Amino acid sequence: MSAAPRWGLLVDALEAGVVLLTTAAGLGLAIAVVDGVGASAPWAVLAVAAAVTAGDVLLRVPLRRLAHVAGAAGALVAGLLAQVAVAWAALAVVPGIVVASAWSVVGVLTVAAVVLGASRWLWGSSDNEYVVADVLLHARRHARRTGARPAGASRPPGLLVVQLDGVSAPVLAQAVEAGLAPTLARWLEDGSHRVEPWWASVPATTPAAHAGVLHGAADAIPAFRWWDRELGRLVVANHPDDAARVEASLSDGRGLLAGGGTAVATMFSGDAAASYLVMSRGRRDGLGPGPGYVRFFARPFVLARAVTATVGEVVKELYQARRQRVYDVRPRISRAGWYVLLRGVTNVLLRDLATSLVADALVRGDPVVYVDFVDYDEIAHHAGPTRPESLRALEGLDQVVRVLERVVAAAPRAYDVVVLSDHGQALGATYEQVEGRTLLETVRDLMGPPCAPGGVAAVDGVQGADDEAWGPVNALLASLLDRGGERALLGPGAVHDRRRRGPDARQRVREHGRGGAPGAGEAPDVVVVGSGNLGLVWFADAPGRLTLEEVSERWPRLVPGLVARTAVGVVVVDSRAHGLVAVGPRGLRVLEPGASGDAVQGEDPLTPYGPRARADLARAARLPHTGDLLLVSAVGAGGRVHAFEGQVGSHGGLGGHQNDAFLLHPVGLEVDDALREDVAGARLLVGADAVHRQLVAWLEAAGLRVDVPQRVGQVP
């Protein structure tokens, strides 16, 4: 036997010994503090640790086979039962151990998970390293046992794309400077990577970005939620049925992940061969292939530690929200209710699960892997984009990147790692905080007679619910709780919105867009939706989009009344005379080249929005299903905006840093300047479709698009 294999066996033995001893230490402390469990000697605790480890190894293959049949839900249930059964059997069989009940076993698992997590923190390991410790250990063993590659041979290429949702380029720079992103800082300092800013076009939302980056079809998405006149209801991008319908309309089979790629926690699949927690495939594929979840759900202490850390995140949120109230931090919004639990689930449990799934995909050697982490975006919506808790979320995400970097080093492919964002965020008080009423209430009032008693209620309206944050959770529920008829949804989008029209009350349209019962086929007078500081208004009972002339004839107070609001900066509407026009409080601007009339009349309302405002709004106002009216909030000092929904950090329109996304890529992957455009004197990629084209170009150069089908009529 050569020296290298002998050394590898020694390393394996040392690693196994360290794992056994740390597990025994965690179990020993748990046995000491949990009622109903006792040990007569230290050796008994060590024997229990060995039995638990052996049970984990023996059950893994049967659990994977079961997961093939039962799916992710089966893996969850079987994994939980297996953990308790293995621990209970070990505690019951080993001499010198006394156990009273199954609840005592659950207590031991929970306490041991906390102890092991704390010990990793004291040792200096990443908070997320426990999630991939097992897969990393097996990957290294496999690499050592397969031996060195022939001379001159190298690992085949691969690409890992990590999306840090909602992180603007300036916020990334701030985090790097503050020492909150040491892994990314090291890459930049060592010269292995560089940052390429790119412009997130209106609508600057995750669905539009995923449609663009993953499919090259951002034009299919006019907002986070929109009114579909053909369907007669709201379409919401993070509802599984709607996401599936949208993807079916935009996919051509040649998405970014076509040819064997894997998507994790995304809105759309990118035509991936394997998808996990992908919204558009929630109904068809559930959570994804069941075996991928076995390692997370069944391995001792992993799920228990994740659940425990989730509780800790909830406690942290309660403290941070109270701090904002005590110190009167402004602007701020309420952070109570379901969001407290939601933050814990998305920022710990789902993040750790996604990390585990990505690690499995890398070790399998999937050619392209794409994952979206929403931690920062979720907190920034409620706390603000540069508030301490939001920036601390970046610290946790940087640890995830460090963990995946270690997995990449042991993977069978030489993965290039690209880190990007889909948009940024902008701070500001909400429209309702500034105006004292919602945008829907404002629109309904301006559509009614000037002094009509009860004029606000005279117009029947529907407002889209603020349910963006519930997307990852709804992806889970779509698979686990769907009963066939009524869809399993949580959050504001699951609330019935009953509106009144005239003296008779009847159910109109639910807030989340599912059709009402009596009066089927009838549409509300007006539908108002907020996507951050981008507002959209549809006159749903009209057969098509109304022009400015038609709107002014029907509701002469509406457009002037909207632009007169302090929190509204500009209203975009089509017109017969000039095409698309942007109307402000003291002037208007014609948006489309070649339209008749002066380009600007009075003061240019787009001046506060920067050099891309005209092009972005002209594009957004011509997207399919876009609103009859598009509103962008006013932009104040420091780029502050006013969201038309309950968010203190928002994105969707223009203003602040919400359009300043980034692409952090290896220096060996050059950005094609032909894909860039001039933006305020800088050369930038503009729009998610441009990012898609650049990523595809890198994949083609690496030979990773060979198995992707040709487009119809395309010459090979």
Side-chain angles (χ1 to χ4, degrees), residues 533-593:
N533 79 318
L534 174 68
L536 297 98
V537 179
W538 290 263
F539 307 110
D541 56 353
R545 188 177 186 187
L546 299 184
T547 64
L548 176 60
E549 292 83 356
E550 291 170 320
V551 172
S552 298
E553 181 179 351
R554 296 188 187 192
W555 306 287
R557 302 168 56 232
L558 182 56
V559 173
L562 287 173
V563 297
R565 302 290 170 177
T566 302
V568 174
V570 65
V571 175
V572 178
V573 59
D574 201 3
S575 70
R576 287 195 296 261
H578 304 287
L580 291 175
V581 294
V583 183
R586 290 174 294 276
L588 65 82
R589 177 167 182 173
V590 177
L591 297 181
E592 295 175 312

Side-chain angles (χ1 to χ4, degrees), residues 50-440:
V52 168
T53 303
D56 172 41
V57 174
L58 292 174
L59 287 178
R60 190 165 299 168
V61 173
L63 286 173
R64 281 187 173 273
R65 290 177 178 172
L66 175 63
H68 269 294
V69 178
L76 170 61
V77 174
L80 289 173
L81 293 176
Q83 288 188 52
V84 175
V86 167
W88 198 351
L91 292 169
V93 170
V94 172
I97 300 292
V98 178
V99 59
S101 67
W103 289 113
S104 299
V105 177
V106 173
V108 168
L109 286 171
T110 302
V111 173
V114 174
V115 172
L116 291 173
S119 65
R120 283 188 174 276
W121 178 77
L122 291 172
W123 186 258
S125 298
S126 167
D127 289 347
N128 307 95
E129 197 166 347
Y130 77 99
V131 176
V132 301
D134 183 58
V135 66
L136 194 56
L137 180 62
H138 281 79
R140 287 172 174 170
R141 287 176 180 173
H142 178 75
R144 285 195 294 265
R145 289 169 182 171
T146 53
R149 293 179 177 273
S154 59
R155 294 183 295 168
L159 182 68
L160 168 62
V161 183
V162 179
Q163 178 180 316
L164 306 185
D165 205 295
V167 180
S168 68
V171 165
L172 175 68
Q174 184 175 351
V176 167
E177 184 68 23
L180 297 176
T183 303
L184 301 183
R186 170 167 51 83
W187 293 357
L188 294 173
E189 291 172 3
D190 292 348
S192 66
H193 287 67
R194 67 167 61 99
V195 175
E196 171 88 10
W198 69 275
W199 182 266
S201 300
V202 177
T205 64
T206 299
H210 281 185
V213 174
L214 294 173
H215 291 278
D219 287 354
I221 309 293
F224 192 90
R225 54 188 76 81
W226 63 90
W227 182 262
D228 188 309
R229 282 190 164 94
E230 181 179 345
L231 298 177
R233 64 172 177 85
L234 279 174
V235 173
V236 186
N238 71 347
H239 289 180
D241 289 339
D242 288 341
R245 179 187 292 271
V246 171
E247 178 167 328
S249 70
L250 60 83
S251 173
D252 63 358
R254 293 179 50 82
L256 181 70
L257 305 179
T262 295
V264 180
T266 56
M267 288 279 186
F268 307 115
S269 71
D271 298 317
S275 56
Y276 302 88
L277 301 173
V278 172
M279 192 65 59
S280 62
R281 293 188 176 179
R283 298 290 179 210
R284 192 191 78 180
D285 301 333
L287 302 180
Y293 293 89
V294 169
R295 193 182 304 276
F296 185 83
F297 289 147
R299 187 164 176 258
F301 315 119
V302 170
L303 181 59
R305 191 270 182 195
V307 172
T308 304
T310 296
V311 175
E313 188 76 7
V314 168
V315 174
K316 186 196 303 184
E317 166 57 29
L318 292 172
Y319 165 75
Q320 291 171 342
R322 181 179 180 276
R323 175 189 170 277
Q324 281 198 341
R325 294 193 304 272
V326 169
Y327 291 103
D328 194 23
V329 176
R330 299 185 186 183
R332 70 175 185 274
I333 59 172
S334 172
R335 294 164 61 173
W338 280 105
Y339 165 68
V340 178
L341 176 61
L342 182 68
R343 171 177 167 179
V345 172
T346 57
N347 286 31
V348 178
L349 188 61
L350 289 180
R351 181 187 66 190
D352 289 353
L353 176 57
T355 303
S356 174
L357 294 169
V358 171
D360 269 350
L362 295 174
V363 171
R364 283 197 308 266
D366 295 355
V368 191
V369 183
Y370 192 107
V371 60
D372 180 15
F373 291 106
V374 301
D375 305 40
Y376 167 86
D377 190 67
E378 181 57 41
I379 296 177
H381 276 315
H382 292 82
T386 55
R387 299 282 164 75
E389 50 265 57
S390 302
L391 295 177
R392 282 293 179 185
L394 288 178
E395 187 175 36
L397 291 174
D398 185 84
Q399 291 178 9
V400 170
V401 173
R402 186 178 72 171
V403 167
L404 294 178
E405 180 186 31
R406 296 186 62 194
V407 177
V408 163
R413 289 181 178 271
Y415 286 96
D416 285 314
V417 182
V418 172
V419 181
L420 57 77
S421 65
D422 51 345
H423 52 74
Q425 285 203 23
L427 179 68
T430 68
Y431 175 90
E432 186 173 4
Q433 289 173 333
V434 174
E435 297 291 346
R437 56 170 55 187
T438 67
L439 180 59
L440 174 60

Side-chain angles (χ1 to χ4, degrees), residues 496 498 506-510 514-522:
H496 291 261
R498 298 185 180 273
R506 60 180 181 270
Q507 181 181 341
R508 299 290 296 171
V509 179
R510 295 187 187 179
R514 310 298 176 188
E522 294 185 25

